[in-house]
Amino acid sequence: MLDLKQIRENPQKVQELLDRRSVNQYDLQPILELNQRQRELETSRTQLQARSNEIGKLIGQKIKSGSPPQSPEIQSLKEEGNQIKTKLSELEPQEKDLKDQLNTLLLSLPNLPWESTPIGKSEAENVEIHRWGDEYIPKDFPILPHWEIGEKLGILNFERGVKIAQSRFVTLIGAGAALERALINFMLDQQIAAGYTEVMPPVLINSESLTATGQLPKFAEDSFKCSDDDLWLAPTAEVPLVNLYRDEILEASQLPINLCAFTPCFRREAGSYGRDTRGLIRLHQFNKVELVKIVEPSTSSEEHQKLLKNAEAILETLKLPYRTVELCTGDIGFSAATTYDLEVWLPSQSTYREISSCSNCFDFQARRGRIRFKESGKKGTNFVHTLNGSGLAVGRTMSGILENYQQPDGTVKIPEALQPYMGRDLL
């Protein structure tokens, strides 16, 4: 959530930053008007409440000094007090309604892009930072798509996934299931060694949790909801990990908090419109190891770089070719101020595909979730900064392995780092 004081005091700057995301899509005027009306009502209510308190004191003083309770003067004050109470009873629901309207509009606004975030309208204007692992790109023979080699090896079965559920589900069989499990354990071990604390959170989450991290109300259609409860299937472990600290005031000495979690993730992919209907790239259910940092604002840029390196280290240890790109203002997510994407090389498509997004949300999620911290010896509290990134998306990592480690004889070599987890070196 954006800072209402910032919107009120510098609307031109806020509008300029919002326009970098999408020109003229977000209008601050209704927010400014509602806030003005709400503040005026609040002032009126405060003044009336003060007068009501004053009347109560005057009546007490006059009775104490000997005035009869039924005297015209006291009766007049009581009548004024009753009129004020009636007026207050009318103003309070009006003020609440304005606050609710204002909150709804604020929840619809995305985070402001960071000043240094590249300006652009779409992913075509993202900026490549660097590439790694060109020497590991297979070049000597045609590479089969990962879904085709996986089906040939009998480790991926999409037809049975459709039978059990519907399209965009997969069943992993034998060595496929073992490879998925090996990747999860490997990723968790690597991130724990890097200083993250493992968490196993619920994957059914309530609406308040999704609202805090920015999935609700705007992206309700992208999530799966339980019809009989206020519970949703988690789209990413970022949601429960951030919400572990919702409505809490942390001590500065507790920060930074570094968390990692493996969870299944569930997404409708409502906006994908037929893209990637084959393979492991865009499933309704997929496994992911997520990284979340909760930090002091002064350290969040440094912590963002650390989180990025932690995600990159997985790809480098697996010797999977990848590139790092900085997303432009037109491509960053709703809650992000700045984002780096990691993209793994898929030789069957001769292109890089996203395997991790590493985002710094600044205080956007903390405001929505009311997560603050207090420094020892100082008055007041401040909002934390939250960061998140995939470390990594497991299915997409598997697709990278099935293609980049493919052998001319139709087998797939298992990356050296995974062989201790698999107990074999070949699929």
Side-chain angles (χ1 to χ4, degrees):
M1 181 178 288
L2 300 187
D3 183 355
L4 182 56
K5 182 180 178 182
Q6 182 185 14
I7 295 174
R8 185 172 61 247
E9 294 181 354
N10 201 347
Q12 294 84 5
K13 182 60 177 179
V14 174
Q15 187 68 62
E16 176 192 332
L17 290 171
L18 286 173
D19 288 348
R20 291 183 184 182
R21 282 179 164 267
S22 183
V23 178
N24 298 325
Q25 185 177 354
Y26 302 101
D27 183 7
L28 295 179
Q29 197 55 40
I31 290 175
L32 293 169
E33 291 173 0
L34 279 172
N35 185 231
Q36 179 63 30
R37 289 165 56 195
Q38 183 256 322
R39 284 162 65 83
E40 289 171 355
L41 274 181
E42 184 178 19
T43 299
S44 297
R45 177 179 55 78
T46 301
Q47 291 173 345
L48 287 170
Q49 188 65 59
R51 177 56 181 164
S52 178
N53 294 339
E54 183 183 4
I55 288 171
K57 289 180 180 179
L58 283 172
I59 290 173
Q61 290 171 357
K62 290 185 180 296
I63 291 176
K64 190 175 182 180
S65 64
S67 297
Q70 302 302 320
S71 68
E73 185 179 17
I74 290 179
Q75 289 302 308
S76 177
L77 287 171
K78 286 183 176 180
E79 183 177 348
E80 183 184 354
N82 290 332
Q83 290 174 350
I84 288 174
K85 288 180 181 179
T86 300
K87 185 64 175 176
L88 284 171
S89 68
E90 295 171 354
L91 287 182
E92 286 170 357
Q94 292 178 35
E95 188 179 357
K96 182 182 182 302
D97 181 58
L98 286 175
K99 285 182 177 179
D100 290 343
Q101 291 182 55
L102 187 58
N103 191 59
T104 297
L105 290 178
L106 286 171
L107 287 174
S108 72
L109 291 179
N111 201 355
L112 300 179
W114 196 20
E115 288 283 1
S116 65
T117 300
I119 298 175
K121 295 180 180 179
S122 71
E123 62 182 24
E125 296 175 82
N126 292 341
V127 178
E128 182 174 319
I129 304 300
H130 82 284
R131 297 188 182 197
W132 185 92
D134 284 357
E135 66 273 24
Y136 299 116
I137 294 176
K139 303 178 178 68
D140 297 332
F141 60 96
I143 300 297
L144 294 177
H146 64 273
W147 61 86
E148 190 171 330
I149 188 68
E151 288 177 332
K152 282 181 178 291
L153 292 170
I155 63 174
L156 303 180
N157 195 305
F158 293 93
E159 289 184 3
R160 295 187 190 278
V162 172
K163 180 192 292 188
I164 296 167
Q166 62 178 45
S167 61
R168 297 200 179 190
F169 287 86
V170 65
T171 302
L172 305 177
I173 298 171
L179 179 57
E180 183 94 353
R181 180 161 42 86
L183 281 166
I184 292 166
N185 288 332
F186 163 73
M187 291 174 184
L188 286 172
D189 286 348
Q190 291 290 304
Q191 303 303 356
I192 291 168
Y196 291 83
T197 299
E198 183 182 0
V199 178
M200 189 168 284
V203 294
L204 283 172
I205 50 183
N206 57 37
S207 295
E208 191 171 358
S209 295
L210 283 164
T211 301
T213 47
Q215 282 78 12
L216 290 181
K218 187 174 178 64
F219 300 106
E221 65 174 11
D222 287 328
S223 297
F224 290 94
K225 190 177 192 302
C226 301
S227 59
D228 295 331
D229 304 277
D230 179 31
L231 290 171
W232 305 69
L233 291 172
T236 167
E238 167 200 345
V239 180
L241 291 181
V242 170
N243 278 278
L244 288 173
Y245 299 95
R246 191 177 74 237
D247 293 315
E248 292 189 24
I249 298 175
L250 304 169
E251 295 294 333
S253 58
Q254 294 177 258
L255 304 177
I257 295 172
N258 300 313
L259 307 172
C260 67
F262 149 68
T263 65
C265 304
F266 304 87
R267 297 181 189 174
R268 290 188 181 277
E269 297 289 351
S272 59
Y273 302 111
R275 294 171 57 195
D276 300 311
T277 55
R278 302 190 69 182
L280 301 172
I281 299 298
R282 205 176 295 275
L283 297 173
H284 290 312
Q285 176 185 332
F286 58 96
N287 292 322
K288 184 155 65 78
V289 171
E290 185 74 2
L291 310 177
V292 161
K293 286 177 174 281
I294 298 174
V295 306
E296 290 190 46
S298 62
T299 68
S300 70
S301 292
E302 177 187 352
E303 294 289 350
H304 193 194
Q305 293 299 317
K306 289 181 181 178
L307 185 145
L308 176 64
K309 295 300 181 186
N310 296 144
E312 289 176 335
I314 300 294
L315 289 163
E316 293 176 10
T317 305
L318 293 173
K319 297 181 180 178
L320 287 174
Y322 74 92
R323 69 172 186 169
T324 304
V325 297
E326 185 175 8
L327 301 195
C328 71
T329 54
D331 198 32
I332 56 175
F334 182 83
S335 297
T338 177
T339 298
Y340 295 103
D341 268 8
L342 302 183
E343 299 177 349
V344 69
W345 176 255
L346 291 185
S348 73
Q349 301 177 23
S350 296
T351 192
Y352 291 94
R353 299 302 304 268
E354 178 201 335
I355 197 168
S356 174
S357 282
C358 299
S359 297
N360 191 341
C361 299
F362 291 4
D363 63 0
F364 184 80
Q365 293 178 329
R367 286 182 181 278
R368 295 169 76 105
R370 300 166 298 281
I371 309 172
R372 294 169 290 165
F373 75 99
K374 179 177 176 58
E375 296 184 73
S376 178
K378 293 186 178 181
K379 292 183 178 180
T381 60
N382 295 294
F383 288 105
V384 299
H385 280 193
T386 62
L387 303 91
N388 65 82
S390 302
L392 303 165
V394 182
R396 294 190 179 199
T397 307
M398 184 185 290
S399 70
I401 290 171
L402 292 177
E403 295 198 10
N404 287 284
Y405 278 85
Q406 211 170 120
Q407 304 298 303
D409 63 358
T411 60
V412 173
K413 186 178 179 182
I414 296 172
E416 185 177 350
L418 291 180
Q419 291 176 15
Y421 295 87
M422 291 286 291
R424 58 197 290 185
D425 60 6
L426 208 64
L427 293 176

